[in-house]
Amino acid sequence: MCTGSEANDLALRVAKQATGHRGVIVTENAYHGVTTEIAAISPSLGGVGSLAEWVRTVRPPSGDGTAMVADARTAIAELQAAGHGVAALIVDTAFASDGFIAPSAETRAALAAVQALVRAAGGLVIADEVQPGFGRLGARGAGSGAAEASLWGFPRHALEPDLVTIGKPMANGLPVAGLVARRDLMQAFGERVRYFNTFAGTPVSVAAARATWDVLHDERLPEHAADVGDELRGMLAELAGRHDRLRGVRGSGLYLGVDVVDPESGDPDTPAAVALVSGLRERRILISASGRDNAALKLRPPLPFSRADAERFITELDGALGDLG
Amino acid sequence: MCTGSEANDLALRVAKQATGHRGVIVTENAYHGVTTEIAAISPSLGGVGSLAEWVRTVRPPSGDGTAMVADARTAIAELQAAGHGVAALIVDTAFASDGFIAPSAETRAALAAVQALVRAAGGLVIADEVQPGFGRLGARGAGSGAAEASLWGFPRHALEPDLVTIGKPMANGLPVAGLVARRDLMQAFGERVRYFNTFAGTPVSVAAARATWDVLHDERLPEHAADVGDELRGMLAELAGRHDRLRGVRGSGLYLGVDVVDPESGDPDTPAAVALVSGLRERRILISASGRDNAALKLRPPLPFSRADAERFITELDGALGDLG
């Protein structure tokens, strides 16, 4: 396939075929893509009102995690009562649009419980690694197995997905995406459904994907992302100490978020976040605003991002904050 | 976008948003792509039973065309009675999976009538040019306006689409696709729906698309497709005169079909068609079997295909037919 949207769309088709169910559970501000099917499970695009009738949302696994488990029980009961059943739980394993959830014993326990409830209802678990995958969250390599595992977001949360979708960084900017799944699921789908895709595995994209994979390993970019990400997070925290408009530095590796707030009230300040994005663009640095209020800065630089790049970013963000007054 | 599936998926999203309706009308063996939404309007993938409940099929505009108009009346009435309303009629303008419908006064009149019925019901018309577009059907250039028009399939049938989807040959093998639409439709959609696509307009694909466009014009490939297509069709007809397994040579430009039949009964012979595809593959020529019975050979060579290539193809097909015995 070419895009993460196509990968998630196919993952849902496989899950619905395999389970015979239709219901899908997503986190409450999830983003998974833009096809008709996937926009209908992406509340971050248009709110809960934009979701299909066979979709239910749960709070992400933050705090002590009990909220997510309670929501999942309700969601499953509602989907079953409506006759949809449960086809799948799908999660972005960085929980980026839900505000970047860091792994903890509590969140892992919550996800394990939700996973068990979904499986008991006959549903599958889909890990959306389109954004977090390929080492973006940073790898701490102790032995090659651990390094491999930390290329992905799902092991951090002890998730055991049946299907995993990959894309975006896979060929460093060229369009290619994929679906990794349990063999029995793909076999059953292949026997029942005709699926082909003209540009799946198109040679230029595949050559770029192979080269990207080699560079990722040879230059130890996942480990580099962990190191530079820690430095950048430290610099951001220091900057937030000097500017009362910045709060809540969080994230992992080279995938970080920081809230922009009103200095008086502490409330999310969407206009200020948008102004900072514009100010940085004038300074030739491209980032975006994200989150439920569109008031968090979302930082997702290329993995070869260096300490010098991080310093330049902080200098320019400092300047843009100064321009805001 | 990257794929024709994504383009058709977005076209339907736009049509559903614009009309506030949900119903879609397709031809009875249509193929439009593989996302969940588009597979649900593609009976050629899984038959009428695979379609969503808001889809109705009509016979393609063959013969005197009255069948399609009658089917459209029924389809619209059913969609309205079910509360879906009519969002769109979508047609592949070569009607390839429906058996390649050539333009005629009768088919044009049928399509004009169906188009008027759909519009009267508040629906839009989508021309799927993913396969026929970019000159594949052959251009007869008398003046540049005529040559431009004949880059596409819809003017041949006097269709006046509100939305046109393009893809596949656009960048000669690299993934890029597009949606061309009335300005007011895109404006309204853009105001109401957040849509973005990481790889839409990715630089390598766009460079390839520009180069493809230049070569198409500089080498007059649409005109070339008309000339070589006529020659190939003539050679196929001659071959069908010598082999009673081949019947019904049809199509336009370099997009041709020919039925494989049982010499005794004249019925479609799927195993023979599959054997011919395999036999040609062993002879290093790739084609596919298509149509409702998967018993028609579908010929869609690259546009620079030459008379010599056509002669080689006919020689090898003759040989593969001989191997069948």
Side-chain angles (χ1 to χ4, degrees):
Chain A
M1 288 162 286
C2 295
T3 63
S5 293
E6 286 189 332
N8 283 328
D9 195 296
L10 183 58
L12 272 198
R13 283 189 76 189
V14 172
K16 289 182 173 183
Q17 275 279 337
T19 61
H21 301 159
R22 191 184 186 201
V24 175
I25 300 174
V26 297
T27 54
E28 61 181 354
N29 200 42
Y31 171 72
H32 295 293
V34 295
T35 65
T36 302
E37 178 85 349
I38 299 303
I41 67 161
S42 293
S44 81
L45 288 178
V48 169
S50 69
L51 303 179
E53 73 275 13
W54 39 265
V55 184
R56 293 296 181 281
T57 63
V58 295
R59 278 167 284 181
S62 60
D64 70 359
T66 52
M68 188 190 205
V69 182
D71 289 355
R73 283 188 202 283
T74 307
I76 291 168
E78 286 184 13
L79 289 171
Q80 289 177 332
H84 301 309
V86 180
L89 163 76
I90 177 168
V91 294
D92 161 5
T93 60
F95 298 97
S97 60
D98 281 298
F100 295 100
I101 309 293
S104 71
E106 291 80 7
T107 59
R108 272 192 289 267
L111 282 163
V114 171
Q115 207 169 230
L117 290 169
V118 166
R119 291 228 159 88
L124 300 175
V125 176
I126 305 172
D128 179 348
E129 295 279 355
V130 173
Q131 293 196 76
F134 291 95
R136 169 152 298 280
L137 301 175
R140 295 288 177 212
S144 69
E148 283 296 322
S150 52
L151 284 174
W152 314 108
F154 67 84
R156 298 156 38 100
H157 299 288
L159 275 167
E160 292 176 354
D162 304 288
L163 301 120
V164 177
T165 56
I166 55 179
K168 219 179 277 288
M170 198 174 166
N172 196 29
L174 272 79
V176 67
L179 171 62
V180 185
R182 275 173 30 210
R183 183 183 297 268
D184 61 314
L185 294 175
M186 293 316 288
Q187 217 150 24
F189 186 75
E191 281 162 12
R192 284 183 290 179
V193 176
R194 271 179 75 197
Y195 183 89
F196 49 89
N197 188 313
T198 301
F199 297 120
T202 194
V204 175
S205 291
V206 170
R210 291 185 63 144
T212 302
W213 185 252
D214 289 343
V215 169
L216 201 75
H217 276 267
D218 296 349
E219 303 187 7
R220 302 174 62 83
L221 291 180
E223 292 85 345
H224 172 83
D227 295 340
V228 177
D230 281 352
E231 293 183 316
L232 176 58
R233 209 168 52 238
M235 293 179 202
L236 273 172
E238 191 274 334
L239 190 66
R242 291 190 286 115
H243 287 278
D244 49 11
R245 283 187 176 283
L246 295 188
R247 286 236 185 121
V249 176
R250 60 196 181 278
S252 182
L254 284 170
Y255 203 4
L256 304 177
V258 52
D259 294 321
V260 181
V261 298
D262 181 286
E264 309 295 321
S265 65
D267 291 340
D269 189 340
T270 307
V274 172
L276 285 174
V277 170
S278 298
L280 284 167
R281 188 174 59 229
E282 281 159 26
R283 292 157 184 270
R284 308 186 66 77
I285 291 177
L286 299 178
I287 67 163
S288 61
S290 179
R292 187 188 307 261
D293 300 298
N294 216 33
L297 305 182
K298 177 179 172 184
L299 311 181
R300 200 183 48 183
L303 291 198
F305 198 71
S306 68
R307 189 189 159 87
D309 294 328
E311 282 166 353
R312 181 178 161 215
F313 171 73
I314 294 293
T315 301
E316 300 297 351
L317 177 54
D318 198 359
L321 282 160
D323 292 346
L324 269 190
Chain B
M1 288 163 286
C2 295
T3 64
S5 294
E6 285 190 331
N8 283 328
D9 194 297
L10 182 58
L12 272 199
R13 282 190 76 189
V14 172
K16 289 182 174 182
Q17 275 280 336
T19 62
H21 301 160
R22 191 182 186 203
V24 175
I25 299 174
V26 297
T27 54
E28 62 181 352
N29 200 41
Y31 171 73
H32 296 292
V34 294
T35 64
T36 303
E37 177 85 350
I38 299 302
I41 66 160
S42 293
S44 81
L45 287 178
V48 169
S50 69
L51 303 180
E53 73 276 13
W54 39 265
V55 184
R56 292 296 181 281
T57 64
V58 294
R59 278 168 283 181
S62 59
D64 69 1
T66 54
M68 187 191 205
V69 182
D71 288 354
R73 283 187 202 283
T74 307
I76 291 168
E78 285 184 14
L79 288 171
Q80 289 178 330
H84 301 308
V86 180
L89 162 77
I90 178 169
V91 294
D92 161 5
T93 61
F95 298 96
S97 59
D98 280 299
F100 294 102
I101 309 293
S104 70
E106 291 79 9
T107 59
R108 271 192 290 267
L111 282 163
V114 171
Q115 205 169 229
L117 290 169
V118 167
R119 290 225 159 87
L124 299 176
V125 176
I126 304 172
D128 179 346
E129 295 280 353
V130 173
Q131 294 197 73
F134 291 95
R136 168 151 299 280
L137 301 176
R140 294 289 177 210
S144 68
E148 282 297 322
S150 51
L151 284 173
W152 313 108
F154 66 84
R156 297 154 40 97
H157 298 289
L159 275 168
E160 292 177 354
D162 304 289
L163 302 120
V164 178
T165 56
I166 55 179
K168 219 178 277 288
M170 200 173 165
N172 198 28
L174 272 79
V176 68
L179 172 62
V180 185
R182 274 173 30 209
R183 182 185 296 271
D184 60 315
L185 294 175
M186 293 315 288
Q187 216 150 23
F189 186 75
E191 282 162 13
R192 284 184 290 178
V193 176
R194 270 180 76 198
Y195 183 88
F196 49 89
N197 188 313
T198 301
F199 296 120
T202 193
V204 175
S205 291
V206 170
R210 291 185 62 144
T212 302
W213 185 253
D214 288 344
V215 170
L216 200 74
H217 275 267
D218 296 348
E219 304 188 5
R220 302 173 62 85
L221 292 180
E223 292 85 344
H224 172 82
D227 295 339
V228 178
D230 281 352
E231 293 184 316
L232 176 58
R233 207 167 54 239
M235 294 178 202
L236 273 172
E238 191 275 333
L239 190 67
R242 291 190 287 116
H243 287 278
D244 50 10
R245 283 186 177 283
L246 295 189
R247 289 238 183 120
V249 176
R250 61 196 180 278
S252 182
L254 285 169
Y255 202 5
L256 304 177
V258 52
D259 294 322
V260 180
V261 297
D262 181 286
E264 310 295 322
S265 66
D267 291 339
D269 189 340
T270 307
V274 172
L276 286 175
V277 170
S278 298
L280 285 167
R281 189 173 60 230
E282 280 160 27
R283 294 159 183 268
R284 308 185 68 75
I285 291 177
L286 300 177
I287 67 164
S288 61
S290 179
R292 187 187 307 262
D293 301 298
N294 215 33
L297 304 181
K298 177 179 173 184
L299 311 181
R300 199 182 48 181
L303 291 198
F305 198 71
S306 68
R307 189 189 159 89
D309 294 328
E311 282 166 353
R312 182 177 161 217
F313 172 73
I314 294 294
T315 302
E316 299 297 350
L317 177 56
D318 198 0
L321 282 160
D323 292 348
L324 269 189

